[in-house]
Amino acid sequence: MAEGDDVYLYVYDLSGGMASRLSPVLIGKQVEGIWHTGVVTFGKEYYFGSGGINVIVPGTLLHEPVKKILLGKTFIPEQVFDEYLNGLAESEFRGDHYDLLKHNCNNFSDNLSRFLVGNGIPEYILKLPEEILSTPFGQRFQGLIEQISQNSPNLQPIQRRAASPEFYQLNSDIEAARHHSSLLREKRNALCEKLAKREKKKNKKRRKEIGSESKTSEDRRMSAEDGQPEGVAVEQLEQDANTRLSAFDEEERKEREERRRNREPPIVFKDAVDVHIAFDTLVGLIDGKLNEEEQLSLEELHKYMLEDEGSWALGESFLVFIGRLLMDKELHEDVTVQTLHVLAAAALKDDVILMLHQDRKHHVLMNYAFDVDRHPVPHQRALTLFICNLFENIASSEWLMYISEWTYNNQQLSNIRVTTKVAVNAILSDDVEMQDRGSAIIHNLATKEVFDDVAVELTMAVLQFLSADGRGEPLVFRCLKSLAQFCTASGPDVPQLIQMIGPHPSKFKGQSQRIDELVQQISNRLR
């Protein structure tokens, strides 16, 4: 005893390495792991969980610890330490005092370390909850960490009994047997390092410039010598160019229709808005509050939406006008809702993409959408409807997937990043209508080829949504269908997340035949 006993901190990563790789995407900063710790001394490992203080054979709680940190030597007798533990078990470290982010295993390990060796555990482990909660995504991520903790293999509390040597030996034997069985049953393949993101070119230009420059003077002279008047020759060239352009347009239209027929039908809400009522309400709310240029933009909107003229009717300053309607706090709050309702109806039109392309410079629409979680719920509902309806047409749905970036409020944004945020915000809302539209957006995104980081973020949102009881069959179907698609199209992260976080898809078996088929499909990917 004069030499003392070593005291180690065993550090486990509940995320199995996923936190390090995915945290920059999910919470906007690097987090190396979701740390669980236990203190090892006197040949045993001590940790704190929702069942109170637990004692196990060292290293048998989870997989092999990622770190074993020597905290120092203790000269406190084991019997005194046992009495100290019994006191903690009946006071501040009772099971009902456990809180994953505020009073957890790491706080317990820090307490034991200070008692045994006079110093605490590393600060970066204790500060992990603060790191997570300080991020915009932190509150949402908190629930997922709790699920990871609850569903991690063998992270089950052991009943605390009288601190007798016989109990410790029996407990250790049981845990060793459980550990051996668990390794055979639940050992998972290590997560593969993600390959470089598959580069995919967006906005592929198909239309080649068709036409001809004006004839040179030599061309005109030769035409004259051939006995053909110069004006006739130019007119003929224009007709030829128009004919070729029309043929190209027709070919492009047929190709669009073919793609539309062959694609997975999107979920949109065509009857959610009566555009005539929405437009008339909007006009009444802004009557007398527009300048001359804004009044012209309002007339352009009327031509486009109610007179069925093409989007060519919208002038260059049209989206500046829309930006004012969306963000001017001096206007009636319902102006924003009605504006978004009109835009949601416009999203169903074949040529809405021309309006969207106007947004490339100032990003009026997407900057407003990025702030979705700051808007009142009625505005969020209308915005989510607009984004969802943009999946009606192939061109506008692909616009939502654009990856080219711009800076807004010191953050790098892209269309796909904003679309993802709107979808996640909606499905995790407490508002039923938002959940409906959010699940539809995620379903629509799943039919596309999204990058792995987007699939992971959407998967985490879906799993959090499904963790609550009482979800209706239509929304469960959309969510499971999305998970099935992500499991197929993305890397190993999605199946790993489903296994670690849950709920297991079998929870929904029996709701309908189509859900049972998806449950089987996803379960096959988890094996």
Side-chain angles (χ1 to χ4, degrees):
M1 179 64 196
E3 297 181 357
D5 289 279
D6 289 336
V7 180
Y8 280 90
L9 182 72
Y10 276 25
V11 183
Y12 304 88
D13 179 9
L14 293 178
S15 73
M18 297 185 68
S20 176
R21 292 163 42 222
L22 302 180
S23 57
V25 174
L26 299 177
I27 63 175
K29 64 190 301 182
Q30 184 71 40
V31 174
E32 292 303 321
I34 306 300
W35 306 127
H36 167 82
T37 59
V39 171
V40 176
T41 191
F42 305 122
K44 308 174 189 70
E45 181 174 352
Y46 304 86
Y47 74 95
F48 176 55
S50 58
I53 298 174
N54 302 282
V55 186
I56 60 171
V57 173
T60 62
L61 176 63
L62 295 164
H63 42 72
E64 183 71 12
V66 296
K67 294 179 183 177
K68 298 178 181 179
I69 302 173
L70 179 62
L71 297 172
K73 287 184 178 291
T74 185
F75 298 92
I76 294 176
E78 182 176 0
Q79 184 177 359
V80 174
F81 176 61
D82 287 343
E83 293 175 357
Y84 178 72
L85 281 178
N86 284 331
L88 293 180
E90 296 171 358
S91 56
E92 61 180 304
F93 286 101
R94 285 170 26 200
D96 57 354
H97 288 179
Y98 178 81
D99 184 285
L100 180 66
L101 295 178
K102 298 176 183 177
H103 191 63
N104 55 35
C105 58
N106 300 326
N107 303 115
F108 173 74
S109 295
D110 187 66
N111 184 299
L112 291 195
S113 180
R114 293 182 186 279
F115 177 78
L116 290 169
V117 301
N119 54 265
I121 68 174
E123 194 73 11
Y124 74 89
I125 295 177
L126 286 173
K127 282 189 173 181
L128 175 64
E130 180 183 342
E131 284 190 80
I132 295 173
L133 291 177
S134 66
T135 63
F137 199 68
Q139 292 296 326
R140 189 172 298 143
F141 198 49
Q142 175 180 347
L144 296 173
I145 296 173
E146 291 173 350
Q147 291 181 49
I148 290 174
S149 176
Q150 293 165 2
N151 294 333
S152 293
N154 282 347
L155 192 54
Q156 301 296 327
I158 304 168
Q159 294 296 323
R160 181 74 180 172
R161 300 183 183 178
S164 66
E166 293 82 3
F167 165 70
Y168 284 138
Q169 184 59 51
L170 177 60
N171 195 37
S172 297
D173 292 344
I174 293 173
E175 287 302 316
R178 178 185 294 174
H179 174 63
H180 179 70
S181 175
S182 175
L183 287 178
L184 295 177
R185 185 180 67 255
E186 300 191 42
K187 185 176 181 181
R188 300 185 298 268
N189 292 328
L191 291 176
C192 300
E193 287 297 328
K194 283 200 289 187
L195 299 173
K197 290 181 179 179
R198 299 188 302 271
E199 291 295 333
K200 180 184 177 184
K201 290 185 178 180
K202 299 292 184 180
N203 312 327
K204 189 176 181 180
K205 294 183 179 179
R206 294 191 60 258
R207 181 182 294 270
K208 295 181 180 179
E209 186 177 354
I210 300 176
S212 175
E213 297 182 355
S214 300
K215 291 174 63 68
T216 62
S217 57
E218 178 64 16
D219 292 331
R220 290 194 292 270
R221 183 188 62 78
M222 293 178 63
S223 295
E225 289 178 353
D226 291 338
Q228 186 177 31
E230 179 181 331
V232 174
V234 173
E235 182 179 349
Q236 183 62 46
L237 287 172
E238 291 177 348
Q239 290 177 354
D240 290 345
N242 288 335
T243 299
R244 293 166 62 196
L245 186 58
S246 297
F248 181 84
D249 286 341
E250 179 63 19
E251 179 183 349
E252 190 176 53
R253 186 191 65 78
K254 290 180 178 179
E255 183 174 335
R256 271 199 316 268
E257 289 300 319
E258 183 67 20
R259 291 171 63 192
R260 185 194 295 267
R261 284 194 297 269
N262 293 335
R263 70 169 175 160
E264 181 81 17
I267 298 175
V268 295
F269 299 88
K270 296 183 178 182
D271 300 324
V273 171
D274 185 320
V275 68
H276 292 84
I277 294 176
F279 188 87
D280 289 345
T281 304
L282 175 62
V283 171
L285 291 170
I286 59 178
D287 185 37
K289 299 178 181 180
L290 304 181
N291 60 35
E292 185 177 343
E293 186 175 8
E294 290 170 338
Q295 188 63 43
L296 178 61
S297 294
L298 182 62
E299 293 172 4
E300 293 170 351
L301 181 60
H302 184 277
K303 290 180 181 179
Y304 181 46
M305 295 306 304
L306 302 183
E307 298 180 24
D308 207 25
E309 293 194 19
S311 57
W312 54 266
L314 305 177
E316 294 182 0
S317 59
F318 174 74
L319 286 181
V320 176
F321 165 65
I322 292 296
R324 188 201 165 192
L325 298 184
L326 293 177
M327 290 174 275
D328 190 340
K329 302 300 182 183
E330 295 184 0
L331 297 175
H332 190 282
E333 61 180 11
D334 200 36
V335 168
T336 298
V337 173
Q338 300 306 326
T339 300
L340 289 168
H341 281 171
V342 173
L343 291 178
L348 301 171
K349 296 171 72 73
D350 289 342
D351 61 350
V352 69
I353 187 62
L354 299 180
M355 180 191 77
L356 298 176
H357 281 324
Q358 289 186 20
D359 205 28
R360 286 177 294 184
K361 182 177 181 180
H362 298 294
H363 305 284
V364 171
L365 298 174
M366 282 316 213
N367 287 345
Y368 176 81
F370 180 73
D371 291 330
V372 57
D373 50 342
R374 300 180 183 179
H375 301 320
V377 171
H379 296 189
Q380 293 185 35
R381 288 196 202 105
L383 173 61
T384 307
L385 175 64
F386 168 55
I387 295 296
C388 187
N389 279 359
L390 284 174
F391 282 93
E392 169 68 9
N393 297 291
I394 293 175
S396 55
S397 66
E398 290 178 349
W399 180 83
L400 292 171
M401 309 284 290
Y402 285 0
I403 61 174
S404 55
E405 294 185 335
W406 71 91
T407 302
Y408 174 65
N409 287 345
N410 297 318
Q411 298 189 64
Q412 291 299 113
L413 302 184
S414 64
N415 285 9
I416 182 57
R417 181 54 50 208
V418 175
T419 303
T420 301
K421 181 177 181 180
V422 171
V424 170
N425 178 78
I427 197 172
L428 296 182
S429 169
D430 293 330
D431 185 84
V432 175
E433 194 171 345
M434 290 272 288
Q435 294 171 358
D436 185 29
R437 294 170 182 176
S439 64
I441 294 176
I442 293 177
H443 168 277
N444 295 338
L445 283 170
T447 65
K448 301 286 187 178
E449 185 178 352
V450 298
F451 288 123
D452 289 353
D453 57 343
V454 174
V456 165
E457 186 169 350
L458 294 174
T459 295
M460 294 183 76
V462 166
L463 293 175
Q464 187 171 344
F465 173 76
L466 292 176
S467 66
D469 295 328
R471 303 303 191 191
E473 195 274 349
L475 271 63
V476 171
F477 172 75
R478 295 175 193 172
C479 289
L480 292 182
K481 189 172 182 181
S482 300
L483 291 181
Q485 184 63 29
F486 293 147
C487 282
T488 302
S490 302
D493 289 338
V494 170
Q496 185 72 17
L497 274 173
I498 297 173
Q499 287 180 308
M500 291 180 62
I501 298 176
H504 194 279
S506 59
K507 170 185 176 181
F508 306 99
K509 194 170 183 179
Q511 286 199 26
S512 68
Q513 181 178 349
R514 62 177 187 170
I515 284 181
D516 289 349
E517 292 173 356
L518 290 172
V519 168
Q520 185 61 49
Q521 185 178 340
I522 298 171
S523 298
N524 290 340
R525 289 282 176 176
L526 303 186
R527 292 172 181 171

